[in-house]
């Protein structure tokens, strides 16, 4: 049976379609490219490495954990858009990047992606631990030889920005191996939402909002639905943002992005929470959601990439 004749269970175009036979079509394909000993455009080296053997094999789509040096260590299939963007970003920041291959919904429902990202961060930090450790893993030479564990960053774009926030929150209460601390979190166009509109968000038909529908598809058993604190940081009962386990945060937003209102609110609430770190907000005029990811060579995209790189490398 072809995709054109299969019965659609849920149509979340332009992102994903689910069929009654359990199959999935992801509608935003990005061609696979292999890792490269040296990218000719940026000079960045990359390779693939197996994930920690803590559960079944992971699927694709990245979250980022960042440590300074000029290499990319992928635990994700090398998708061309992501690969191009990461190479450009970390050529500027001289960073060692671990790009995490977490399991995707709906095949693996949330909180799988959060758990996988936390497991990956623990795996990274475990490289500094001497003697017995609690996680089953094989050390990766690039992390051991090139990682600077006094300068660990987490970050991501869109849904990965949401994950980066939640990882930073968890790091504020759950110690990482070797007592490693996260220096900074980069939330680029982060996905946050909720049942109550913020600013000039539309009040009608909020249940038909694509982001709302995707969240409920990915986490159908969640308590609170779209107001679960993982996605609605301002919901009743959400943990205080003062618990963020990092020293500084960068929030990247774009004028035309429907998520920008909540990104602004997020930065404001972090500042008011009593958290003692630094918040940097960058808002790009005239651009939409994750514009720099889809075309990183424009003037505005390169400017944003340079700002993120400076945040990582401590340049002003």
């Amino acid at each position: 049976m072809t995709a054109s004749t299969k019965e659609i269970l849920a149509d979340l175009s332009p992102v994903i379609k689910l069929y009654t036979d359990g199959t999935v079509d992801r509608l935003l394909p990005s061609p696979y490219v292999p890792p490269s000993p040296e990218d000719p455009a940026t000079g960045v080296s990359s390779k693939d490495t197996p994930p920690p053997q803590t559960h079944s094999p992971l699927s694709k789509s990245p979250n980022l954990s960042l440590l300074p040096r000029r290499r990319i260590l992928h635990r994700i299939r090398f998708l061309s858009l992501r690969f191009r963007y990461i190479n450009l970003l970390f050529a500027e920041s001289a960073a060692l990047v671990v790009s995490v291959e977490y399991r995707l919904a709906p095949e693996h429902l949330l909180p799988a992606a959060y758990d996988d990202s936390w497991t990956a961060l623990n795996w990274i930090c475990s490289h500094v631990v001497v003697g017995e450790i609690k996680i089953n893993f094989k050390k990766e030479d690039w992390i051991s030889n090139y990682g600077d564990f006094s300068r660990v960053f987490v970050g991501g774009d869109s849904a990965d920005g949401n994950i980066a926030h939640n990882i930073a929150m968890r790091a504020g209460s759950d110690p990482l191996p070797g007592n490693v601390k996260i220096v900074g979190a980069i939330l680029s166009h982060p996905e946050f939402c909720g049942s109550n509109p913020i600013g000039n968000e539309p009040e009608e038909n909020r249940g038909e909002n694509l982001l709302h529908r995707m969240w409920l598809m990915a986490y159908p058993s969640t308590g609170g639905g779209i107001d679960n604190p993982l996605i609605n940081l301002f919901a009743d009962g959400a943990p205080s943002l003062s618990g963020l386990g990092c020293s500084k945060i960068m929030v990247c937003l774009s004028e035309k992005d429907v998520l920008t209102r909540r990104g602004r609110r997020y930065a404001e609430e972090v500042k008011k929470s009593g958290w003692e770190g630094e918040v940097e907000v960058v808002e790009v005029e005239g651009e939409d959601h994750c514009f720099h990811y889809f075309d990183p060579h424009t003037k505005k995209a390169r400017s944003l990439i340079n700002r993120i790189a400076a945040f990582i490398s401590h340049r002003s």
Side-chain angles (χ1 to χ4, degrees):
M1 183 181 295
T2 66
S4 60
T5 60
K6 291 191 295 186
E7 184 178 355
I8 296 174
L9 176 65
D11 186 347
L12 301 176
S13 297
V15 180
I16 193 170
K17 288 183 180 180
L18 287 67
Y19 299 94
T20 55
D21 64 359
T23 58
V24 173
D25 277 344
R26 289 186 164 82
L27 306 177
L28 298 173
S30 182
Y32 169 80
V33 293
S36 172
E38 183 173 344
D39 175 38
T42 61
V44 172
S45 301
S46 58
K47 69 174 179 177
D48 204 359
T49 189
Q53 299 302 307
T54 55
H55 45 57
S56 60
L58 306 183
S59 185
K60 61 184 179 181
S61 201
N63 185 45
L64 304 180
S65 296
L66 319 177
L67 302 94
R69 290 291 190 264
R70 192 186 172 97
R71 296 173 184 234
I72 299 181
L73 177 64
H74 282 248
R75 289 180 34 222
I76 179 175
R77 287 178 57 82
F78 286 74
L79 305 181
S80 61
L81 287 176
R82 174 66 60 172
F83 193 40
R84 178 184 63 180
Y85 165 59
I86 290 178
N87 278 0
L88 290 169
L89 174 57
F90 295 103
E92 293 293 331
S93 62
L96 170 64
V97 185
V98 181
S99 183
V100 177
E101 185 178 11
Y102 58 66
R103 292 170 292 172
L104 293 185
E107 299 93 332
H108 304 280
L109 298 176
L110 294 176
Y114 296 107
D115 293 341
D116 291 348
S117 299
W118 181 251
T119 295
L121 181 57
N122 274 262
W123 173 73
I124 294 165
C125 296
S126 291
H127 284 71
V128 303
V129 177
V130 178
E132 184 178 352
I133 57 176
K134 295 181 179 180
I135 187 172
N136 178 27
F137 82 111
K138 180 180 179 181
K139 285 194 174 183
E140 165 54 50
D141 289 343
W142 279 14
I143 295 178
S144 298
N145 296 336
Y146 301 109
D148 181 349
F149 292 94
S150 68
R151 295 174 60 196
V152 175
F153 290 75
V154 298
D157 304 277
S158 196
D160 294 337
N162 172 291
I163 292 177
H165 161 78
N166 282 289
I167 291 300
M169 287 293 294
R170 186 166 178 178
S173 58
D174 296 357
L176 291 164
N179 201 33
V180 171
K181 305 297 183 185
I182 298 174
V183 172
I186 303 147
L187 280 60
S188 174
H189 305 81
E191 286 190 358
F192 302 128
C193 60
S195 59
N196 294 321
I198 288 178
N200 59 350
E201 289 180 345
E203 296 187 21
E204 297 181 356
N205 301 319
R206 292 189 64 77
E208 297 302 313
N209 178 289
L210 179 61
L211 180 55
H212 291 204
R213 295 169 62 208
M214 289 181 60
W215 173 258
L216 295 175
M217 175 272 293
Y219 206 173
S221 64
T222 179
I226 201 64
D227 290 319
N228 182 285
L230 290 170
I231 191 77
N232 184 359
L233 313 184
F234 320 124
D236 291 341
S240 171
L241 296 173
S242 64
L244 282 161
C246 56
S247 303
K248 59 180 184 176
I249 292 174
M250 170 179 268
V251 183
C252 303
L253 308 170
S254 295
E255 180 186 9
K256 296 181 179 180
D257 186 3
V258 296
L259 300 177
T260 288
R261 302 172 192 91
R262 287 185 183 267
R264 293 182 194 136
R265 170 81 180 276
Y266 170 79
E268 294 167 359
E269 294 296 330
V270 169
K271 292 175 182 178
K272 294 190 298 184
S273 70
W275 179 66
E276 297 180 352
E278 301 175 6
V279 181
E280 179 177 349
V281 179
V282 180
E283 185 169 339
V284 182
E285 294 182 358
E287 297 293 348
D288 212 327
H289 187 70
C290 292
F291 72 98
H292 60 304
Y293 172 84
F294 295 104
D295 188 358
H297 296 293
T298 68
K299 182 177 180 180
K300 289 182 180 180
R302 291 308 297 262
S303 177
L304 179 58
I305 288 170
N306 289 340
R307 289 285 296 272
I308 297 171
F311 179 82
I312 295 167
S313 58
H314 303 282
R315 300 195 302 267
S316 59

